[in-house]
Amino acid sequence: MMRHPTSQGERAQRGQLIRRLDRAFGELNVFLTALAIGLALLDLTCLYGVTVSRPLIAALHVQPPQSVAWPGLVPGLRQRSDDASQ
């Protein structure tokens, strides 16, 4: 089956369509690039939160002293002092 040669009008319409699609995809690429960068930064932030900050927080954890002036502030110590008095 042979195709009929296209007219000049059809070729011009195809050319306009290709130019419009090219411009639309060019703008879409900018949006997708910005989205990819934003997601990469979010991923790095979560990675930092999971791997780096948790061990730092655990290392900085301070145990309350055994002799607390107000035992109501630390519930675990109040229970221990109640147990010791009985």
Side-chain angles (χ1 to χ4, degrees):
M1 186 174 207
M2 292 191 56
R3 281 190 62 146
H4 298 300
T6 58
S7 67
Q8 283 289 75
E10 289 176 0
R11 286 184 189 167
Q13 286 178 349
R14 283 187 192 165
Q16 285 177 344
L17 178 64
I18 290 173
R19 282 192 298 274
R20 290 172 73 188
L21 287 174
D22 186 44
R23 188 175 4 158
F25 287 137
E27 292 175 7
L28 184 63
N29 282 337
V30 172
F31 172 73
L32 291 176
T33 302
L35 183 66
I37 291 171
L39 288 175
L41 288 174
L42 180 64
D43 186 38
L44 289 175
T45 303
C46 291
L47 180 68
Y48 172 79
V50 170
T51 60
V52 177
S53 68
R54 281 190 183 167
L56 288 176
I57 291 171
L60 294 175
H61 183 72
V62 177
Q63 293 292 331
Q66 292 298 326
S67 60
V68 175
W70 299 290
L73 292 177
V74 183
L77 291 178
R78 182 175 52 194
Q79 291 172 355
R80 280 190 231 136
S81 65
D82 292 342
D83 293 339
S85 65
Q86 292 177 0

